[in-house]
Amino acid sequence: MESNKEKYILISDIKKSYGERQVLKGLDLSIEKGEFVAIVGKSGCGKSTLLRLIAGLESNDEGSIYMNGEPLDHLNKYARIMFQDGRLLPWKRVIDNVCLGIPDTARVKATDALRQVGLDERMNDWPSKLSGGQKQRVALARALVHNPSLLLLDEPLGALDALTRIEMQDLIESLWKEKKFTSILVTHDVEEAVAIADRVILIEDGVISVNQPIRLPRPRQRTHPAFSMYVEEILEKILNRKKNKITLVKKSRKAQV
Amino acid sequence: MKFIIKESVKKFIPWFLPLLLIVGWQLFSWVGVIPERILPAPTKVLQAGIELLSTGELSSHVGISLGRALAGFLIGGTIGFVFGLLNGMFKVSDLLFDTSIQMLRNIPHLALIPLVILWFGIGETSKIFLVALGVLFPIYINTYHGIRTVDKGLVEMGRAYGLKGRALFFAVILPGAMSSILVGVRFSLGVMWLTLIVSETISAHTGIGYMAMNAREFMQMDVIVLSILLYALFGKLSDMIARFLEGKLLQWNT
Ligand SMILES: Nc1ncnc2c1ncn2[C@@H]1O[C@H](COP(=O)(O)OP(=O)(O)O)[C@@H](O)[C@H]1O
Ligand SMILES: [Mg+2]
């Protein structure tokens, strides 16, 4: 069991079903402390489910999850999750959303977190007055204020326009570098995964079918030939294309899964 | 041509028709088109109001009616609210109470008047009981529905951020149910007046409804019309209260 303790997160053979439908079918995954892992896979393959299991919001049917060497039961106290749809409370002002779950005395920390995402000037606005990108930045601040050692990101940039997306990716990457938390990002954009992660994981048929470390220096140049090689390789595996069809993939490099 | 409506004029517009009606009514009464025994002139009604006010009769009836309305609303509203919350949040309570409450709801509460008079006589209790009963169901249903339809994603988010019990209730569940609860409040304020009018008219020694019924015996048309106008006024007032609450509690929704 000694090796379990070295891994920050150790997931072995977890299974999870909803009704008749088995979503995760014996999935194994281990993550080092401080690592940035991106999870890709077709819609409905169980990416959110895996993330929610790691967050402790749901429990697995079989298998085990070890967190920091301890079996995970109930809510994962190390983790904070950021959702696809932001999930800001519409009836709380921006600052009060960020203060969620922290003591009143820690309001200063909330202001700091808002400053880090560049939204301290909007702290007294209602969430409905913010743009999609701004809402996600508030959601990011809300997660950061807890100083999580594990940040779970469930397609947080999915609904944003291309420019805002790249801006947010840079923001997340710089915060990750600065605060040294471990991060798991679910995304449907392979390019995004390669741009930001140390390792890209593909979930297919309820298990991990690809586990691809990305050995590129940061900050990553999207124009770098190795960059597009990684993207193509992963896309190819997702789409199950043979080598001779790669040209197709090349044409639509922004192809989304 | 373009009309630019000033703010001050905008405020006046909704009152234009009622005012026109009163002026027309007054004019027709003067000319004699509307006979006094059908409908007394507005000035006559006003005069009756001033007279009753000077004897202290009016304020005592109005005070009693308002007291009944308020007491019934608070009692019925609290019971409906509490059951709505409990049944919305807890399975056991839902299974135990919801079916029974839904069955009771289908009895028109005004149909209970004869029974209520036999139980409580025509004193205060019977009126407050009826108002409370009428108010209970709209508040219950809308609270229940509001709690049930709170965004599950937000509840999950709250839990993920360490909220539970009271904190989760006050930060996520109650505010999430609030707009539905206020729909219930608005509706039940209407039911409150209706119930009060009917029960005071049928059986009472005091209150606006009694004042009207009593005036009928003496053919005091002006007092009858005055009572009706009072009800209209209070209806408008409770609507304003509901609007005020919505503005305050649903500020974020504007
Ligand atoms: N609470 C739930 N109840 C029933 N089915 C669910 C639930 N959550 C997810 N599923 C199903 O599990 C599968 C995986 O969902 P999810 O993990 O959200 O996929 P994605 O990879 O797109 O994030 C989907 O088919 C989805 O319909
Ligand atoms: Mg998902």
Side-chain angles (χ1 to χ4, degrees):
Chain A
M1 281 321 241
E2 195 50 38
S3 65
N4 288 0
K5 299 221 160 122
E6 287 163 19
K7 298 288 181 193
Y8 185 55
I9 304 172
L10 185 75
I11 295 169
S12 8
D13 200 27
I14 51 166
K15 296 181 179 147
K16 175 76 185 173
S17 304
Y18 290 110
E20 293 288 283
R21 209 187 135 82
Q22 192 170 40
V23 181
L24 300 179
K25 307 173 179 171
L27 181 145
D28 300 300
L29 173 66
S30 66
I31 293 174
E32 308 279 343
K33 197 164 174 59
E35 203 178 0
F36 202 128
V37 175
I39 300 176
V40 295
K42 290 182 183 162
S43 176
C45 71
K47 304 181 295 289
S48 299
T49 304
L50 177 61
L51 221 58
R52 293 230 302 271
L53 288 175
I54 297 174
L57 287 169
E58 279 187 65
S59 49
N60 36 312
D61 304 333
E62 284 176 50
S64 65
I65 301 179
Y66 277 80
M67 180 77 210
N68 244 347
E70 292 158 21
L72 179 68
D73 58 345
H74 240 68
L75 216 60
N76 188 338
K77 59 175 190 266
Y78 302 100
R80 280 295 176 260
I81 187 166
M82 197 179 148
F83 299 94
Q84 200 162 1
D85 46 356
R87 301 197 187 170
L88 299 181
L89 296 173
W91 44 82
K92 282 187 182 283
R93 291 178 193 274
V94 165
I95 180 78
D96 297 314
N97 262 287
V98 178
C99 283
L100 205 69
I102 61 171
D104 281 344
T105 48
R107 255 182 120 78
V108 190
K109 279 175 70 183
T111 323
D112 285 344
L114 275 175
R115 193 170 305 125
Q116 278 170 342
V117 299
L119 276 179
D120 47 329
E121 278 175 10
R122 308 297 299 271
M123 63 185 233
N124 287 318
D125 283 342
W126 298 111
S128 59
K129 298 279 180 290
L130 303 180
S131 71
Q134 288 170 331
K135 280 181 195 158
Q136 286 305 56
R137 277 195 277 163
V138 174
L140 181 61
R142 180 175 66 185
L144 289 175
V145 90
H146 294 257
N147 275 325
S149 59
L150 174 62
L151 186 63
L152 305 172
L153 304 158
D154 189 358
E155 299 196 41
L157 316 182
L160 306 182
D161 61 271
L163 287 177
T164 315
R165 248 176 120 117
I166 293 182
E167 219 175 77
M168 278 292 278
Q169 286 164 12
D170 290 347
L171 178 64
I172 290 171
E173 190 183 3
S174 69
L175 286 167
W176 168 73
K177 271 191 208 150
E178 182 194 325
K179 297 184 182 282
K180 302 189 166 38
F181 46 75
T182 309
S183 194
I184 307 178
L185 168 75
V186 168
T187 175
H188 57 243
D189 181 350
V190 174
E191 205 171 309
E192 177 172 290
V194 173
I196 204 167
D198 296 322
R199 187 151 56 109
V200 178
I201 281 163
L202 172 63
I203 299 182
E204 228 174 0
D205 273 332
V207 295
I208 286 174
S209 64
V210 173
N211 195 339
Q212 176 70 62
I214 309 292
R215 299 200 173 83
L216 288 175
R218 295 173 191 269
R220 288 180 179 161
Q221 303 296 321
R222 285 167 197 248
T223 46
H224 198 284
F227 186 95
S228 28
M229 256 180 53
Y230 276 119
V231 174
E232 273 156 26
E233 218 177 288
I234 294 163
L235 268 178
E236 181 198 342
K237 279 169 180 157
I238 296 173
L239 300 172
N240 271 326
R241 300 245 164 120
K242 296 279 175 300
K243 279 268 185 248
N244 57 8
K245 288 193 179 165
I246 287 179
T247 39
L248 256 177
V249 180
K250 240 176 207 160
K251 266 186 203 154
S252 55
R253 194 177 289 156
K254 263 215 84 87
Q256 299 190 333
V257 186
Chain B
M1 220 174 100
K2 229 170 147 186
F3 291 102
I4 297 162
I5 306 174
K6 278 197 204 146
E7 271 311 305
S8 53
V9 179
K10 252 191 203 162
K11 274 202 180 128
F12 170 74
I13 291 178
W15 297 101
F16 179 70
L17 279 181
L19 212 70
L20 189 73
L21 193 78
I22 289 178
V23 170
W25 173 10
Q26 182 70 50
L27 285 178
F28 283 124
S29 300
W30 266 336
V31 210
V33 179
I34 307 174
E36 191 154 329
R37 53 185 183 78
I38 302 288
L39 199 63
T43 41
K44 278 276 163 58
V45 176
L46 194 69
Q47 218 171 0
I50 292 170
E51 245 165 64
L52 286 174
L53 206 59
S54 67
T55 61
E57 221 176 310
L58 185 64
S59 43
S60 116
H61 285 309
V62 166
I64 286 168
S65 286
L66 281 179
R68 285 170 185 160
L70 196 69
F73 183 84
L74 286 181
I75 295 170
T78 308
I79 297 174
F81 181 65
V82 168
F83 273 106
L85 286 185
L86 291 178
N87 295 1
M89 287 190 295
F90 304 108
K91 189 104 194 179
V92 184
S93 148
D94 188 27
L95 285 172
L96 191 59
F97 295 117
D98 187 57
T99 308
S100 311
I101 296 179
Q102 297 294 349
M103 259 156 43
L104 285 178
R105 181 174 76 93
N106 285 310
I107 305 171
H109 66 293
L110 292 177
L112 295 181
I113 289 181
L115 198 60
V116 169
I117 292 177
L118 287 180
W119 282 345
F120 304 114
I122 60 169
E124 290 311 294
T125 324
S126 59
K127 262 128 251 139
I128 293 174
F129 178 85
L130 281 169
V131 172
L133 198 65
V135 162
L136 194 156
F137 297 112
I139 300 261
Y140 169 77
I141 304 233
N142 286 286
T143 306
Y144 181 77
H145 176 259
I147 298 276
R148 277 306 179 87
T149 51
V150 170
D151 185 344
K152 298 281 177 299
L154 291 182
V155 177
E156 187 187 56
M157 183 281 300
R159 286 204 298 129
Y161 279 77
L163 302 182
K164 52 189 167 203
R166 273 168 60 105
L168 186 66
F169 176 76
F170 284 110
V172 182
I173 298 173
L174 186 62
M178 193 50 84
S179 68
S180 176
I181 294 174
L182 288 178
V183 169
V185 168
R186 182 184 275 270
F187 191 84
S188 66
L189 283 172
V191 175
M192 174 186 85
W193 284 117
L194 183 79
T195 313
L196 194 71
I197 294 166
V198 172
S199 56
E200 278 187 350
T201 307
I202 293 180
S203 62
H205 291 311
T206 46
I208 305 173
Y210 165 79
M211 192 169 81
M213 279 316 273
N214 197 42
R216 185 197 55 119
E217 289 192 12
F218 300 99
M219 293 295 279
Q220 293 169 313
M221 267 306 230
D222 44 1
V223 178
I224 296 177
V225 174
L226 177 71
S227 316
I228 294 169
L229 288 181
L230 278 177
Y231 277 130
L233 206 67
F234 287 128
K236 175 72 190 162
L237 190 72
S238 47
D239 198 57
M240 276 161 67
I241 293 172
R243 260 173 216 274
F244 172 79
L245 284 177
E246 278 162 20
K248 261 267 179 290
L249 295 170
L250 304 179
Q251 231 182 84
W252 52 273
N253 210 1
T254 51

